[in-house]
Short mmCIF file of all heavy atoms in Angstrom, two decimals:
data_model
loop_
_atom_site.label_atom_id
_atom_site.label_comp_id
_atom_site.label_asym_id
_atom_site.label_seq_id
_atom_site.Cartn_x
_atom_site.Cartn_y
_atom_site.Cartn_z
N ALA A 1 91.82 95.03 97.28
CA ALA A 1 91.31 93.92 96.47
C ALA A 1 91.56 94.07 94.97
O ALA A 1 91.70 93.09 94.22
CB ALA A 1 89.78 93.82 96.59
N GLY A 2 91.63 95.36 94.54
CA GLY A 2 91.80 95.60 93.09
C GLY A 2 93.13 96.16 92.69
O GLY A 2 93.25 97.03 91.74
N ARG A 3 94.23 95.85 93.41
CA ARG A 3 95.52 96.45 93.19
C ARG A 3 95.99 96.23 91.70
O ARG A 3 96.47 97.14 91.04
CB ARG A 3 96.57 95.99 94.05
CG ARG A 3 97.89 96.71 94.05
CD ARG A 3 98.84 96.24 95.06
NE ARG A 3 98.28 96.17 96.35
CZ ARG A 3 98.40 95.12 97.15
NH1 ARG A 3 99.22 94.02 96.77
NH2 ARG A 3 97.93 95.02 98.28
N GLY A 4 95.84 95.00 91.18
CA GLY A 4 96.22 94.68 89.84
C GLY A 4 95.52 95.50 88.78
O GLY A 4 96.13 95.89 87.80
N LEU A 5 94.24 95.66 89.01
CA LEU A 5 93.39 96.43 88.11
C LEU A 5 93.84 97.85 88.11
O LEU A 5 93.92 98.54 87.11
CB LEU A 5 91.93 96.34 88.42
CG LEU A 5 90.93 96.87 87.42
CD1 LEU A 5 91.11 96.31 86.11
CD2 LEU A 5 89.51 96.71 88.00
N LEU A 6 94.10 98.45 89.25
CA LEU A 6 94.54 99.81 89.44
C LEU A 6 95.87 100.04 88.69
O LEU A 6 96.11 101.08 88.07
CB LEU A 6 94.52 100.29 90.84
CG LEU A 6 93.28 100.44 91.56
CD1 LEU A 6 93.46 100.81 93.06
CD2 LEU A 6 92.46 101.59 90.95
N VAL A 7 96.74 99.07 88.93
CA VAL A 7 98.02 99.24 88.30
C VAL A 7 97.88 99.21 86.74
O VAL A 7 98.67 99.99 86.07
CB VAL A 7 99.02 98.02 88.73
CG1 VAL A 7 100.25 97.90 87.80
CG2 VAL A 7 99.40 98.22 90.18
N GLN A 8 97.02 98.37 86.25
CA GLN A 8 96.80 98.22 84.89
C GLN A 8 96.13 99.59 84.25
O GLN A 8 96.53 100.07 83.26
CB GLN A 8 95.93 97.02 84.57
CG GLN A 8 95.67 96.85 83.03
CD GLN A 8 94.75 95.63 82.83
OE1 GLN A 8 94.25 95.12 83.77
NE2 GLN A 8 94.71 95.16 81.62
N TRP A 9 95.16 100.05 84.91
CA TRP A 9 94.44 101.31 84.48
C TRP A 9 95.38 102.49 84.50
O TRP A 9 95.36 103.27 83.45
CB TRP A 9 93.33 101.58 85.45
CG TRP A 9 92.04 100.77 85.20
CD1 TRP A 9 91.70 99.93 84.25
CD2 TRP A 9 90.88 100.94 85.97
NE1 TRP A 9 90.54 99.51 84.33
CE2 TRP A 9 89.97 100.03 85.41
CE3 TRP A 9 90.53 101.56 87.18
CZ2 TRP A 9 88.71 99.85 85.98
CZ3 TRP A 9 89.26 101.34 87.71
CH2 TRP A 9 88.29 100.42 87.15
N PHE A 10 96.15 102.73 85.49
CA PHE A 10 97.03 103.88 85.52
C PHE A 10 98.36 103.73 84.93
O PHE A 10 99.11 104.69 84.86
CB PHE A 10 97.03 104.39 87.01
CG PHE A 10 95.79 104.91 87.48
CD1 PHE A 10 95.01 104.18 88.44
CD2 PHE A 10 95.20 106.14 87.09
CE1 PHE A 10 93.83 104.58 88.91
CE2 PHE A 10 94.03 106.57 87.52
CZ PHE A 10 93.27 105.83 88.48
N GLY A 11 98.76 102.51 84.56
CA GLY A 11 100.07 102.22 84.01
C GLY A 11 101.21 102.59 84.86
O GLY A 11 102.21 103.07 84.36
N VAL A 12 101.09 102.24 86.11
CA VAL A 12 102.20 102.49 87.06
C VAL A 12 102.67 101.14 87.59
O VAL A 12 101.93 100.16 87.53
CB VAL A 12 101.72 103.32 88.27
CG1 VAL A 12 101.34 104.71 87.83
CG2 VAL A 12 100.51 102.66 89.00
N PRO A 13 103.98 101.09 88.06
CA PRO A 13 104.43 99.82 88.49
C PRO A 13 103.66 99.50 89.91
O PRO A 13 103.28 100.34 90.64
CB PRO A 13 105.83 100.06 88.85
CG PRO A 13 106.06 101.54 88.96
CD PRO A 13 104.97 102.06 88.08
N ALA A 14 103.68 98.16 90.16
CA ALA A 14 103.08 97.66 91.36
C ALA A 14 103.82 98.11 92.50
O ALA A 14 105.18 98.21 92.43
CB ALA A 14 102.93 96.19 91.31
N PRO A 15 103.24 98.41 93.73
CA PRO A 15 104.08 98.85 94.92
C PRO A 15 105.00 97.74 95.36
O PRO A 15 104.60 96.63 95.34
CB PRO A 15 102.94 99.10 95.89
CG PRO A 15 101.72 98.40 95.39
CD PRO A 15 101.81 98.32 93.98
N ALA A 16 106.15 98.15 95.77
CA ALA A 16 107.19 97.21 96.21
C ALA A 16 107.68 97.78 97.47
O ALA A 16 108.21 98.80 97.52
CB ALA A 16 108.25 96.99 95.24
N PRO A 17 107.48 97.10 98.62
CA PRO A 17 106.70 95.93 98.91
C PRO A 17 105.19 96.18 98.93
O PRO A 17 104.80 97.31 99.24
CB PRO A 17 107.22 95.37 100.30
CG PRO A 17 107.63 96.63 100.96
CD PRO A 17 108.11 97.53 99.81
N PRO A 18 104.40 95.23 98.74
CA PRO A 18 102.94 95.45 98.70
C PRO A 18 102.27 95.86 100.02
O PRO A 18 101.16 96.33 100.03
CB PRO A 18 102.41 94.06 98.19
CG PRO A 18 103.54 93.13 97.98
CD PRO A 18 104.74 93.88 98.29
N ILE A 19 103.03 95.72 101.09
CA ILE A 19 102.49 96.13 102.37
C ILE A 19 102.16 97.58 102.47
O ILE A 19 101.21 98.07 103.14
CB ILE A 19 103.36 95.77 103.49
CG1 ILE A 19 102.84 95.93 104.89
CG2 ILE A 19 104.67 96.50 103.47
CD1 ILE A 19 101.84 94.91 105.33
N HIS A 20 102.79 98.36 101.60
CA HIS A 20 102.53 99.84 101.54
C HIS A 20 101.11 100.04 101.07
O HIS A 20 100.42 100.89 101.57
CB HIS A 20 103.53 100.56 100.76
CG HIS A 20 104.92 100.47 101.28
ND1 HIS A 20 105.28 101.02 102.47
CD2 HIS A 20 106.06 100.03 100.75
CE1 HIS A 20 106.45 100.87 102.75
NE2 HIS A 20 107.10 100.22 101.75
N ALA A 21 100.69 99.39 100.01
CA ALA A 21 99.38 99.57 99.44
C ALA A 21 98.34 98.99 100.36
O ALA A 21 97.31 99.56 100.59
CB ALA A 21 99.24 98.93 98.07
N ASP A 22 98.67 97.85 101.09
CA ASP A 22 97.74 97.31 102.06
C ASP A 22 97.51 98.21 103.20
O ASP A 22 96.37 98.43 103.61
CB ASP A 22 98.36 95.90 102.57
CG ASP A 22 98.41 94.88 101.48
OD1 ASP A 22 97.63 95.05 100.48
OD2 ASP A 22 99.18 93.93 101.65
N LEU A 23 98.53 98.83 103.73
CA LEU A 23 98.38 99.81 104.90
C LEU A 23 97.58 101.02 104.47
O LEU A 23 96.79 101.50 105.22
CB LEU A 23 99.80 100.14 105.46
CG LEU A 23 100.43 99.04 106.22
CD1 LEU A 23 101.81 99.55 106.62
CD2 LEU A 23 99.70 98.54 107.36
N ASN A 24 97.84 101.56 103.28
CA ASN A 24 97.07 102.63 102.72
C ASN A 24 95.61 102.32 102.60
O ASN A 24 94.69 103.13 102.82
CB ASN A 24 97.73 103.19 101.53
CG ASN A 24 98.91 103.98 101.69
OD1 ASN A 24 99.10 104.56 102.75
ND2 ASN A 24 99.76 104.02 100.69
N GLY A 25 95.39 101.09 102.06
CA GLY A 25 93.94 100.63 101.94
C GLY A 25 93.21 100.54 103.25
O GLY A 25 92.09 100.96 103.47
N LEU A 26 93.96 99.92 104.33
CA LEU A 26 93.33 99.94 105.62
C LEU A 26 93.09 101.22 106.26
O LEU A 26 92.07 101.45 106.87
CB LEU A 26 94.16 99.10 106.55
CG LEU A 26 94.26 97.50 106.26
CD1 LEU A 26 95.27 96.91 107.06
CD2 LEU A 26 92.90 96.92 106.49
N PHE A 27 94.03 102.16 106.00
CA PHE A 27 93.86 103.52 106.54
C PHE A 27 92.69 104.19 105.85
O PHE A 27 91.84 104.87 106.50
CB PHE A 27 95.15 104.34 106.28
CG PHE A 27 95.01 105.69 106.75
CD1 PHE A 27 95.02 105.93 108.18
CD2 PHE A 27 95.08 106.75 105.91
CE1 PHE A 27 95.06 107.26 108.64
CE2 PHE A 27 95.01 108.11 106.34
CZ PHE A 27 95.02 108.33 107.74
N ALA A 28 92.50 103.98 104.50
CA ALA A 28 91.37 104.58 103.77
C ALA A 28 90.00 104.03 104.39
O ALA A 28 89.06 104.76 104.48
CB ALA A 28 91.52 104.41 102.37
N LEU A 29 89.98 102.68 104.60
CA LEU A 29 88.83 102.07 105.19
C LEU A 29 88.57 102.52 106.57
O LEU A 29 87.29 102.75 106.92
CB LEU A 29 88.94 100.60 105.11
CG LEU A 29 88.78 99.92 103.72
CD1 LEU A 29 89.05 98.35 103.80
CD2 LEU A 29 87.51 100.25 103.04
#
């Protein structure tokens, strides 16, 4: 839910493709 905020806080590029961050989020949940 907060990928944009995390990218802004840590100053890193957004994941490409975003499915990688989604799968990691589901795994953590």
